Each structure stands twice: as structure tokens, then as C-alpha cells.
Amino acid sequence: MACMKGGERHMSHDALCVGLSALLSDLGCQVQTERMLFADQRRMDLVTRIDGTPYAIDVTLVSPYLTTATSTAVARAAATKIAKYGARCSAIGYHFVPAAFDMWGNRCAEFEAFLKRLLKVFSNTTPHRSEERRVGKECRSRWSPYH
């Protein structure tokens, strides 16, 4: 899948969408891709709920060659997306997250804040050990010569 305008950039955009979707799915979130949220047929790359809060995520990949400072290009792209979608998402009850990256992995502050929110929400959940694993460990320790 390649775009006439972006070529390889489009492929990286899709890879970022797939990666973010997989990350959110692994955390137990239901993720919808390319969901239409607005009457004018505009779509969000990813839509999910975290702790009951709905999020609309738009992934943007910018060229690091647009400015001399790559962080400026990323921040500018995020600001453009916020101006375009922020109020519209808010009006329908979604938190908008611009996921703006450059090709070297720099990302916008808004996406950093979203990642910190994910960490905060999901760091409190600890995986539970299965009963079989716990019982198996107890049985092994009983028969251990060091018991």
C-alpha cells in the first residue's frame, strides 16, 4: 500500500498505526482503526477507550527535513492536527491525541503525555499467577532435597 504523495512515508504511517494498535490491544483495550467520527467523512487512525475515557488518535509522520530542528517539525504537525481535530473531538466526547513523529523517532509532547497516562493506568494492574503454576511450585518445593 503506497501513497502517490508520500510513498515510503505512507508505509511508515501504516506501520505506526499497526504498532500502536497492537500495543493498545496487548494492554486489553479495544481498538478501532480508520473509524469515521465526523459527518464530513473524516476518519481517525485509532479510536479506543482507556479507563472508560474515549480517545481519538491521529498518527502523523513528518519529514525531518522540513526545518532545521526536527522537534519543531513534530511540534508544528501536532499543533496543526490539534487545530484541525481537537475541538471537534471534544464536542463529541473524545480526547484527541495527535501522534506526530518524524522518521527518526522523535514524537510530540502530546503523545508523550498519552504514553505517560497509559503507563499510569496500566502499571497498577499486575498479572495474576495461575493456580496451576502456584500449586506446581508448592509441590516441587515439598519434594526438593533442600526443603
Side-chain angles (χ1 to χ4, degrees):
M1 179 185 294
C3 161
M4 296 304 285
K5 283 174 99 176
E8 288 184 29
R9 282 195 356 226
H10 185 73
M11 295 294 283
S12 296
H13 172 272
D14 290 349
L16 284 168
C17 289
V18 168
L20 289 174
S21 179
L23 169 70
L24 292 166
S25 294
D26 287 349
L27 291 172
C29 299
Q30 290 185 344
V31 182
Q32 296 176 332
T33 58
E34 293 293 325
R35 177 148 178 231
M36 203 172 348
L37 289 182
F38 310 112
D40 64 358
Q41 309 296 318
R42 299 279 176 163
R43 298 173 187 259
M44 283 292 118
D45 290 319
L46 303 169
V47 175
T48 189
R49 285 186 180 273
I50 299 168
D51 250 6
T53 304
Y55 286 90
I57 304 167
D58 186 73
V59 176
T60 303
L61 187 65
V62 297
S63 171
Y65 304 111
L66 292 177
T67 63
T68 55
T70 58
S71 60
T72 305
V74 171
R76 187 178 304 144
T80 300
K81 291 295 182 172
I82 290 169
K84 188 173 185 179
Y85 297 118
R88 295 177 76 189
C89 285
S90 187
I92 59 172
Y94 283 83
H95 290 270
F96 177 68
V97 178
F101 300 86
D102 69 15
M103 297 177 83
W104 289 319
N106 295 310
R107 53 198 172 265
C108 66
E110 295 82 3
F111 188 71
E112 287 285 337
F114 176 72
L115 290 177
K116 287 178 184 174
R117 168 94 171 119
L118 280 177
L119 183 62
K120 183 178 178 183
V121 169
F122 291 104
S123 66
N124 294 331
T125 60
T126 56
H128 298 288
R129 296 245 169 149
S130 69
E131 183 68 12
E132 295 84 11
R133 180 181 170 104
R134 186 185 61 76
V135 170
K137 189 173 181 181
E138 288 174 3
C139 291
R140 283 191 304 276
S141 67
R142 277 193 214 121
W143 295 105
S144 170
Y146 303 108
H147 186 259

